[in-house]
Amino acid sequence: MQGEEVTVRNHAAAGGGGGDGGGDDQARVMDIYPLSSYYFGSKDALALREETLADRVQRMKSHYAAHGLRTCVEAVIVVELFRHPHLLLLQVRNSTFQLPGGRLRPGESDVEGLKRKLTSKLSANGAGDETQWEIGECLGMWWRPDFETLLYPYLPPNIKKPKECTKLFLVKLPVSRKFIVPKNLKLLAVPLCQIHENLKTYGPIIAGVPQLLSKFSFNIIDS
């Protein structure tokens, strides 16, 4: 596809970019495509757990006892809408927002696990799309020192046995693709300026994504 390229700096986060020089900036350019370039459909609903916070804590304790550190992998996927970078989020039960992704299976690699989760939540069943996801760099890691809900964007030095690690990976989209989402989930494109430091709505991990993306320049490619 041939198109006009317009470089847009992401100033949604404090400290918006900068590097050692022009060469570093050039290496941090990210192509993003209009939301209208993609097709969106639906498939059968996913089975979602109905559990209290106490149930979730007990499940985490059982998993830790059996397998040790729990690792989650989540995707940072950016598109263009109204000349502004938007982040793709899943909305669960019309309330909770999530980055696409989920928990790794024991012994599963970060990349293969994220591809599996993206296919489960964003591709047609049996489409064989696992190999079509381009997983980029790890943008950041969040740690859960204990089984309570508190998360840190670093591992506290006094914590020797953290209970959970969540890794955020940049996922690069092609010019077009089909997103097929379970009927009981909503896939939303949310502007970075709305997400930035909005902990009340999106939680600490999602609210921190614009700052993680501040090292990139966005090339908006018009069709």
Side-chain angles (χ1 to χ4, degrees):
M1 179 186 74
Q2 297 295 323
E4 175 188 4
E5 296 189 2
V6 182
T7 300
V8 177
R9 292 282 185 180
N10 174 15
H11 292 294
D20 296 333
D24 183 68
D25 286 345
Q26 186 65 30
R28 292 297 185 177
V29 170
M30 183 197 309
D31 291 341
I32 61 174
Y33 301 94
L35 186 66
S36 58
S37 298
Y38 304 102
Y39 170 85
F40 297 89
S42 63
K43 60 182 179 179
D44 292 342
L46 278 181
L48 299 176
R49 288 189 179 94
E50 295 283 351
E51 60 181 2
T52 65
L53 178 58
D55 292 335
R56 184 176 185 276
V57 170
Q58 185 55 51
R59 179 165 57 84
M60 290 179 63
K61 289 181 177 179
S62 298
H63 180 276
Y64 185 82
H67 305 292
L69 177 70
R70 166 182 165 132
T71 302
C72 298
V73 287
E74 299 182 349
V76 174
I77 306 174
V78 183
V79 298
E80 178 270 334
L81 185 63
F82 305 125
R83 311 304 297 169
H84 190 81
H86 283 56
L87 183 66
L88 293 187
L89 298 177
L90 288 169
Q91 188 178 27
V92 184
R93 300 186 182 94
N94 294 320
S95 57
T96 305
F97 295 93
Q98 300 175 352
L99 291 168
R103 177 168 56 88
L104 295 180
R105 293 169 176 168
E108 189 174 35
S109 72
D110 296 342
V111 171
E112 292 308 311
L114 184 53
K115 287 181 178 180
R116 175 177 60 82
K117 285 294 184 178
L118 290 175
T119 298
S120 171
K121 295 181 178 179
L122 299 181
S123 294
N125 293 332
D129 280 350
E130 290 90 345
T131 59
Q132 297 181 22
W133 295 105
E134 184 179 349
I135 311 299
E137 66 182 270
C138 181
L139 296 173
M141 300 169 67
W142 286 78
W143 298 87
R144 194 184 303 275
D146 210 333
F147 296 110
E148 75 275 3
T149 57
L150 194 62
L151 290 164
Y152 292 90
Y154 59 90
L155 181 60
N158 61 315
I159 301 299
K160 305 304 179 185
K161 295 183 178 180
K163 303 305 185 285
E164 183 178 87
C165 177
T166 297
K167 302 179 182 180
L168 274 57
F169 286 89
L170 184 65
V171 174
K172 302 175 183 179
L173 290 181
V175 175
S176 64
R177 73 169 299 131
K178 294 180 179 180
F179 288 97
I180 310 298
V181 183
K183 292 179 180 178
N184 54 340
L185 300 178
K186 292 181 180 178
L187 185 61
L188 305 176
V190 184
L192 293 184
C193 60
Q194 178 177 316
I195 293 171
H196 176 53
E197 292 190 342
N198 191 346
L199 278 75
K200 183 177 180 180
T201 301
Y202 300 105
I205 293 180
I206 295 175
V209 167
Q211 188 168 2
L212 294 176
L213 293 174
S214 65
K215 62 185 176 182
F216 293 96
S217 296
F218 296 109
N219 271 351
I220 297 175
I221 302 181
D222 294 328
S223 52

